[in-house]
Amino acid sequence: MDTKLLSLFQREATARLNAAEYELVSYTRACRGKIIDLHEMNHIRKLRERVEQARARQLKWTRHRFLAESGVL
């Protein structure tokens, strides 16, 4: 695969990861200091799962990019 295309995928994955982390931090900060109900807890759980998925995707594209740049792919 082309390194420029892989770099684009990596940057997009990094942007999605940053957005997911920002959304999680913003939501948990808004819930700080109060008792949260089941709906809010489920929402936080979904946001954490989204962050983990985005992190895995970003690591995958970073790995592919480094392999392509080193000539393995």
Side-chain angles (χ1 to χ4, degrees), residues 2-43:
D2 186 19
T3 56
K4 287 185 179 182
L5 185 60
L6 288 172
S7 178
L8 177 69
F9 286 148
Q10 181 198 11
R11 282 196 311 270
E12 179 185 351
T14 302
R16 288 178 186 258
L17 174 60
N18 290 340
E21 287 176 339
Y22 180 80
E23 186 177 0
L24 175 62
V25 168
S26 298
Y27 191 78
T28 53
R29 190 172 290 154
C31 292
R32 185 174 293 155
K34 68 175 190 172
I35 298 174
I36 58 173
D37 61 3
L38 183 62
H39 173 72
E40 291 168 330
M41 192 64 190
N42 286 337
H43 189 67

Side-chain angles (χ1 to χ4, degrees), residues 20 24 39-53:
L24 175 62
H39 173 72
E40 291 168 330
M41 192 64 190
N42 286 337
H43 189 67
I44 290 171
R45 186 178 298 121
K46 287 177 186 177
L47 289 174
R48 285 181 179 157
E49 290 172 0
R50 184 175 162 217
V51 167
E52 290 304 314
Q53 290 172 354

